[in-house]
Amino acid sequence: MKRLLYIVISILSLSANAQDRALLIGISNYQEGTGWSKIHSHNDIALLQQVLPNTCEVTTLCDSEATYQGITHAIDLFIQDTRPGEQVLLHFSGHGQQMLTNDHNEPDLLDEALIPYDAPMIRTSTYRGKRHLVDNQLDSLITLLRTKAGYNGLVVVSLDACHSGDSNRGGDSENEEEHTRGTSDIFGFNEISIDSIYTIYKHWDKVDKTPLPNTPSMAHTIYLSACMPFSVSYEIKENDKFYGPLTYAINKAYTSHSFSSIKEWLHAIEECMRKEILQEPYIIDTLD
């Protein structure tokens, strides 16, 4: 724990190490025809960039750059470039969605997915979900990243999207002043029976509580998700701008508190999310 007391990765300006790196992915305007509404992820990216130190090497991927292929390629490069002892942040702001799965180990009988720029909302005969970035795939990539960063590294993953917490106020609001980061429509539900849908809804709020994999050769990691796997996340408005609630809470926790440990910083984020934003975040880590 001692090696972590210089606080959450200098990505939040609490240390100045030239090796610190961040990959920030934000999608506000999705590809026409995918069915996703416009959101304000570009404000999240700008807010995070304000608190990143000048010594941090920052890569951004926005809108049409953030296709499924663009995101996976950028993460692959991010992993390849990681060196032992580095402290890195991987951030995603965009839509999220639950989807049918064949993985019987999922307690809610569903996968959670981040939605790239070119991933349609509805499963059809021609689109079966190949461009959804599913939680299991993301977990595998993060494991590779942690292995490259090694024991003295730290990997922080922040996901400001709906259903990001395994990685409900259902539906998209008609209120123009309210923007959801995803949908309560589960990908693939249009192709299964009512009985199957009923079975899934019985497991709707079950959360995978399996501890994150951890070995002495891997970097510690922190996963911060805007909401629980079964929840929809709503943007908040501050000074006439909309932000993802997690990004807002990260920024506010950093600017409003002083810390002596990472755990205190995480607690401040949770307090902001629960008491001010009135949303339950999903935060897990490998810290002692």
Side-chain angles (χ1 to χ4, degrees):
M1 186 67 181
K2 184 176 180 181
R3 69 190 176 88
L4 298 174
L5 291 182
Y6 47 86
I7 315 284
V8 167
I9 160 171
S10 58
I11 288 168
L12 295 174
S13 297
L14 297 176
S15 68
N17 185 327
Q19 293 181 322
D20 298 330
R21 295 184 305 118
L23 174 58
L24 310 180
I25 303 167
I27 311 170
S28 296
N29 302 286
Y30 278 76
Q31 187 175 64
E32 186 176 352
T34 56
W36 297 105
S37 61
K38 175 181 171 60
I39 48 178
H40 302 84
S41 301
H42 58 285
N43 290 336
D44 295 3
I45 302 305
L47 194 63
L48 288 174
Q49 287 177 313
Q50 290 177 18
V51 299
L52 300 180
N54 293 332
T55 54
C56 182
E57 180 184 321
V58 181
T59 301
T60 61
L61 211 65
C62 298
D63 285 357
S64 60
E65 300 173 327
T67 61
Y68 174 82
Q69 185 174 11
I71 291 173
T72 53
H73 179 65
I75 295 175
D76 284 341
L77 291 178
F78 198 58
I79 294 169
Q80 291 175 29
D81 292 341
T82 298
R83 298 291 179 264
E86 286 189 338
Q87 302 171 94
V88 299
L89 168 67
L90 174 61
H91 177 87
F92 177 88
S93 284
H95 284 299
Q97 186 176 28
Q98 289 182 300
M99 58 192 305
L100 298 181
T101 181
N102 294 320
D103 185 354
H104 299 294
N105 294 319
E106 291 284 356
D108 58 0
L109 307 181
L110 297 167
D111 279 327
E112 283 71 44
L114 303 179
I115 307 302
Y117 169 81
D118 55 343
M121 181 189 296
I122 298 174
R123 190 162 81 174
T124 66
S125 59
T126 57
Y127 180 68
R128 312 303 290 174
K130 291 293 186 181
R131 295 192 294 276
H132 278 55
L133 184 56
V134 181
D135 50 7
N136 291 337
Q137 181 183 7
L138 180 62
D139 289 345
S140 295
L141 292 169
I142 298 306
T143 296
L144 291 174
L145 185 59
R146 293 178 61 197
T147 301
K148 288 294 294 293
Y151 173 77
N152 289 314
L154 179 63
V155 175
V156 178
V157 181
S158 56
L159 307 175
D160 212 337
C162 288
H163 311 295
S164 56
D166 200 18
S167 93
N168 198 23
R169 296 159 58 190
D172 294 328
S173 173
E174 295 180 358
N175 184 346
E176 292 182 357
E177 289 292 291
E178 194 167 61
H179 302 273
T180 57
R181 290 275 175 108
T183 178
S184 59
D185 294 335
I186 295 172
F187 186 83
F189 260 29
N190 57 311
E191 296 183 352
I192 63 175
S193 68
I194 294 296
D195 287 343
S196 295
I197 292 174
Y198 178 71
T199 298
I200 289 172
Y201 277 130
K202 287 196 298 184
H203 296 79
W204 181 260
D205 59 353
K206 295 187 183 301
V207 178
D208 187 357
K209 297 182 179 180
T210 304
L212 291 170
N214 199 31
T215 69
S217 63
M218 296 171 66
H220 276 293
T221 188
I222 302 169
Y223 271 86
L224 303 102
S225 300
C227 61
M228 302 297 286
F230 49 85
S231 300
V232 172
S233 180
Y234 285 75
E235 293 187 340
I236 65 165
K237 190 175 184 180
E238 178 79 8
N239 296 325
D240 293 323
K241 287 186 176 181
F242 288 95
Y243 298 96
L246 177 62
T247 304
Y248 175 85
I250 287 173
N251 181 71
K252 183 159 188 179
Y254 167 67
T255 57
S256 304
H257 298 76
S258 59
F259 309 101
S260 62
S261 73
I262 293 178
K263 288 292 191 180
E264 290 182 12
W265 178 75
L266 295 177
H267 179 71
I269 293 172
E270 288 187 281
E271 287 289 292
C272 179
M273 291 285 291
R274 290 172 177 161
K275 294 184 178 180
E276 182 174 340
I277 300 173
L278 304 180
Q279 187 165 302
E280 184 76 12
Y282 184 71
I283 301 175
I284 54 176
D285 61 64
T286 61
L287 307 179
D288 299 332

